[in-house]
Amino acid sequence: MAIDPYEPELAKRQRAFQIATKQLNELLNCNLSLGNNGSPEFVDRFNNSVEALRDYEHYGRELAEWIAQKQ
């Protein structure tokens, strides 16, 4: 899901947030199915989830700040 540089700013920010949300949900659902057994696969997926959570927070804040500035 590439972001079209010609989309309006709000649409670009919404799309980035949607992508981050989808990635986070997929990783969290996968982690729940693995359980916490300390395996290298679990650790990798956990680290990916932390990174996805940071992206989710970043793009959520960007979107909220942009909306607040435009109102």
Side-chain angles (χ1 to χ4, degrees):
M1 274 192 252
I3 297 172
D4 183 352
Y6 299 106
E7 287 185 37
E9 280 298 309
L10 177 59
K12 287 193 293 187
R13 292 171 192 277
Q14 287 174 326
R15 176 68 56 128
F17 184 68
Q18 289 169 346
I19 292 169
T21 302
K22 181 181 176 196
Q23 289 173 340
L24 180 60
N25 284 330
E26 287 173 356
L27 285 166
L28 289 177
N29 288 335
C30 189
N31 285 345
L32 288 175
S33 68
L34 280 177
N36 184 3
N37 58 8
S39 71
E41 183 181 7
F42 176 81
V43 173
D44 285 342
R45 290 196 182 188
F46 179 80
N47 289 334
N48 289 340
S49 297
V50 170
E51 183 177 343
L53 184 57
R54 287 183 185 134
D55 289 345
Y56 176 81
E57 178 186 19
H58 170 77
Y59 290 116
R61 284 180 193 257
E62 267 192 2
L63 178 60
E65 288 171 3
W66 191 88
I67 290 171
Q69 289 176 359
K70 298 298 174 185
Q71 289 181 350

